[in-house]
Amino acid sequence: MPIAIGKEDEMKVSEIVGKLNLKVFSGEVGLDRKISGAYVSDLLSDVMGNAEEGMVWVTLQTHQNVLAIASLKELAAIILVKNFEPEADTVLHSYEEGIPVLGTDLPTFEIVGKLYNALK
Amino acid sequence: MKLVFEIARGDFTAAGKASSGIKKVLKQLLVDPKTIKRIVVAVYEAEVNVVAHSVGGTLTANISGNEITVVVQDYGPGISDIEQAMKVGFSTASRKVREMGFGAGMGLPNIKKNTDELTIQSQPGKGTMLVFSISI
Ligand SMILES: Nc1ncnc2c1ncn2[C@@H]1O[C@H](COP(=O)(O)OP(=O)(O)O)[C@@H](O)[C@H]1O
Ligand SMILES: [Mg+2]
């Protein structure tokens, strides 16, 4: 489910890192990116078809196609749930694209609840 | 302008090469960002299908003044029932491919949704040719 928020309230990726106590794995240069909303899915075609530019993507997928999609869709950042860690080429691609890969030990339901409250 | 990309079977690390290459060119041609987004979705799904479902093939993009036409040709195994393949949720992807998040059965529907024209021709055993165009 996408959450869309108004332009004037746009938060930076660095702000949700602080508020949600997220780990930053890579792509620090993108912490200044503005967040337009969020999308939660582990199905790549679902994200490809429905996520919008500037959204934060919450997923448990860790391989580099996640970065390919984030780059093609111009997403703001990726949050990996439940202590999942990005694969090596995902990290590399994250630096190349300047799209941060973030992480949390929380399961999807909990981190998305917090994200919703932070963004709404 | 003509851009050609070879796509190898099973090489998921390469999925996204054609779509990101085409995206860069379209940006430089100052194509409307909304249109670029539609093109990128269709090209990405088409290249993933060649990687995931075929023995390999070629993706060719022809960009003219007002249209992009993409031809995706692979060398098998073909699609026996195209109507069924077009249905949202239909997928023959392997378990491993599904675990990676592919195989939601939304690829061809995504291509259909984001293109102005789409034709699929397939000969079981021989290969599949997907042609789509989007005005730019
Ligand atoms: N190039 C292709 N060669 C052979 N079969 C294909 C090809 N593209 C699509 N298919 C078939 O059509 C089905 C649906 O494709 P798609 O909608 O992209 O979903 P998915 O790729 O998630 O399975 C595939 O699972 C596969 O059976
Ligand atoms: Mg597909």
Side-chain angles (χ1 to χ4, degrees), chain B:
Chain B
M1 184 190 314
K2 188 169 157 179
L3 304 167
V4 183
F5 301 87
E6 297 295 330
I7 304 171
R9 123 189 260 172
D11 186 5
F12 284 96
T13 61
K17 285 238 165 80
S19 37
S20 66
I22 290 168
K23 182 182 174 189
K24 274 183 198 133
V25 171
L26 294 172
K27 268 192 160 175
Q28 289 191 15
L29 294 174
L30 302 177
V31 173
D32 168 50
K34 280 212 176 90
T35 306
I36 296 181
K37 290 202 171 81
R38 291 169 56 216
I39 295 166
V40 158
V41 172
V43 175
Y44 181 79
E45 294 290 5
E47 56 182 323
V48 166
N49 278 353
V50 175
V51 173
H53 305 300
S54 89
V55 300
T58 310
L59 187 149
T60 308
N62 274 292
I63 305 169
S64 71
N66 54 11
E67 192 173 71
I68 178 169
T69 302
V70 177
V71 179
V72 191
Q73 173 77 62
D74 68 52
Y75 308 107
I79 303 173
S80 53
D81 185 342
I82 293 173
E83 205 181 310
Q84 181 185 45
M86 290 299 300
K87 290 211 171 97
V88 176
F90 177 82
S91 178
T92 58
S94 68
R95 190 170 150 212
K96 185 174 157 270
V97 168
R98 280 171 196 260
E99 277 173 1
M100 289 174 76
F102 297 104
M106 296 170 73
L108 291 174
N110 272 351
I111 296 173
K112 178 84 186 151
K113 209 186 297 170
N114 285 282
T115 53
D116 297 330
E117 261 178 79
L118 166 67
T119 60
I120 304 176
Q121 287 176 308
S122 192
Q123 269 188 299
K126 287 245 171 73
T128 300
M129 186 170 74
L130 207 85
V131 182
F132 59 80
S133 57
I134 297 169
S135 54
I136 58 176

Side-chain angles (χ1 to χ4, degrees), chain A residues 44-45 53 63-65 74, chain B residues 12-13 23 37 45 100-101:
Chain A
L44 305 187
S45 286
E53 185 176 339
H63 53 87
Q64 70 152 358
N65 295 89
E74 298 176 28
Chain B
F12 284 96
T13 61
K23 182 182 174 189
K37 290 202 171 81
E45 294 290 5
M100 289 174 76

